[in-house]
Amino acid sequence: MQTLVSLDDLADGDIETILEDASAYHADPRGHRGRFPDRIVCSAFFEPSTRTRLSFEAAAQRLGAQVIGFSDAAATSTSKGERLEDTVRVVSALSDAVVLRHPEEGAARRAAAVVDVPVVNAGDGVGEHPTQTLVDLFTLRQALGGLEGRRVAIVGDLLYGRTVHSLVPALRRFGIDVVQVPGGHLELPAASGHVPKVGLEEAAADSDALYVTRVQRERFRDPKEWEAVRGQVRVDRALLERTGSEAVVLHPLPRVDELADDVDALPAAKYFDQVRNGLPVRMAVLANLLEARG
Ligand code: NCD
């Protein structure tokens, strides 16, 4: 694996390898510091992040690599007008892999085209978020056993939410039945192919997993449009009980008001497992990329 911009960059076998390696790191996250002691990973975050950035940085350190980077683009030469391509050329000259988050769709692809170190897309605007999908697949397997023949309902902002843009094609590749419960008009883009729409009650009753996402406030040009759609779908304990739901509940986080706190105590709640799984999965991704580079 040379770079990870889209989940389409990975063959099924690559995904299997990462998930298997991640299981080994999950069982024993310590004890790998001798792995890449001479490598430097650059964490270049042009957009806010908590989980993704910290889990990449922790993963690099657990593999013995050093980390450089920034989490506030305003503190970089971007604020002087430097273009993404040039900033990435600079950081790639100083490191062995670049983990990039950027507000523009396609940014990671542009970055990968101008540098010869591996680039990991840690979220490009409304585009994709492939490592979140690897975390989601790992967590779904952990929670459900196998994936074959399962049904996953994706809920919330499916238009602007980049996590589902990577997740939906991946679920289909693994033979999972996918349905969507968009918040208002926030349906999956046409590029995702036909994904049947169902109501929230039906999704809760009939799915093996509910994958809930927040309305992506920062992607709306008009705040009134955001006000109109926020809160249109909400998963809470009453919904799960009323529908006799046996679904596990995932969410990439952060949550706002689409997922109630009263779900947290239920065995169905798997979103904090997703956070924990970010570390071993990102260890597997980084190890794979650094190894391929030699
Ligand atoms: C997501 C993201 O940044 O796309 N967060 C994450 O990485 N876990 C989801 C979101 O911001 O809603």
Side-chain angles (χ1 to χ4, degrees):
M1 190 166 92
Q2 307 292 339
T3 210
L4 179 51
V5 170
S6 161
L7 212 76
D8 290 344
D9 294 339
L10 300 181
D12 290 356
D14 296 329
I15 296 178
E16 286 297 344
T17 302
I18 290 170
L19 298 182
E20 266 167 41
D21 292 354
S23 292
Y25 290 124
H26 182 265
D28 172 27
R30 298 183 175 82
H32 306 281
R33 292 190 68 92
R35 200 69 200 287
F36 299 105
D38 55 347
R39 306 301 175 87
I40 296 177
V41 172
C42 178
S43 141
F45 276 67
F46 291 84
E47 245 195 0
S49 171
T50 306
R51 280 149 290 271
T52 305
R53 183 173 67 82
L54 294 178
S55 62
F56 264 115
E57 294 185 3
Q61 292 185 27
R62 289 256 183 247
L63 293 167
Q66 314 296 306
V67 177
I68 59 170
F70 54 86
S71 56
D72 178 9
T76 71
S77 291
T78 304
S79 64
K80 302 179 188 171
E82 185 170 61
R83 289 185 309 126
L84 167 70
E85 279 82 354
D86 282 353
T87 307
V88 171
R89 281 186 182 104
V90 171
V91 301
S92 72
L94 304 172
S95 61
D96 301 290
V98 178
V99 179
L100 177 71
R101 170 168 288 193
H102 198 276
E104 288 165 33
E105 184 173 5
R109 186 71 73 200
R110 277 164 53 205
V114 296
V115 301
D116 60 4
V117 302
V119 173
V120 186
N121 182 5
D124 61 325
V126 299
E128 286 209 39
H129 194 349
T131 64
Q132 180 65 46
T133 291
L134 294 167
V135 172
D136 300 338
L137 292 173
F138 186 86
T139 310
L140 280 168
R141 271 203 187 161
Q142 197 177 51
L144 298 175
L147 297 182
E148 190 75 40
R150 299 292 193 169
R151 170 183 263 211
V152 175
I154 50 168
V155 180
D157 183 350
L158 314 177
L159 179 62
Y160 298 125
R162 56 194 170 203
T163 64
V164 294
H165 299 164
S166 293
L167 180 64
V168 168
L171 291 176
R172 289 177 146 172
R173 268 163 80 169
F174 282 89
I176 295 168
D177 184 21
V178 187
V179 294
Q180 60 173 319
V181 186
H185 68 284
L186 303 172
E187 291 177 28
L188 277 172
S192 301
H194 176 68
V195 175
K197 256 200 291 181
V198 301
L200 185 59
E201 305 263 326
E202 182 186 338
D206 294 345
S207 304
D208 297 295
L210 294 172
Y211 188 93
V212 188
T213 62
R214 103 189 137 87
V215 178
Q216 307 276 303
R217 182 180 188 167
E218 67 276 31
R219 310 288 177 215
F220 287 78
R221 279 195 208 100
D222 179 358
K224 283 201 208 90
E225 195 201 340
W226 170 71
E227 279 293 348
V229 286
R230 66 177 293 207
Q232 291 221 0
V233 282
R234 178 175 162 85
V235 171
D236 59 14
R237 190 177 186 141
L239 168 83
L240 300 175
E241 286 175 358
R242 182 165 75 241
T243 56
S245 179
E246 289 180 4
V248 294
V249 180
L250 281 80
H251 191 307
L253 301 178
R255 70 171 144 187
V256 189
D257 39 23
E258 67 287 344
L259 175 59
D261 292 359
D262 64 6
V263 178
D264 297 3
L266 302 178
K270 301 296 179 196
Y271 28 95
F272 295 116
D273 291 358
Q274 283 167 280
V275 176
R276 275 187 286 276
N277 291 337
L279 179 76
V281 170
R282 290 184 172 112
M283 284 175 81
V285 168
L286 287 177
N288 204 299
L289 288 168
L290 290 170
E291 211 147 64
R293 189 165 151 73

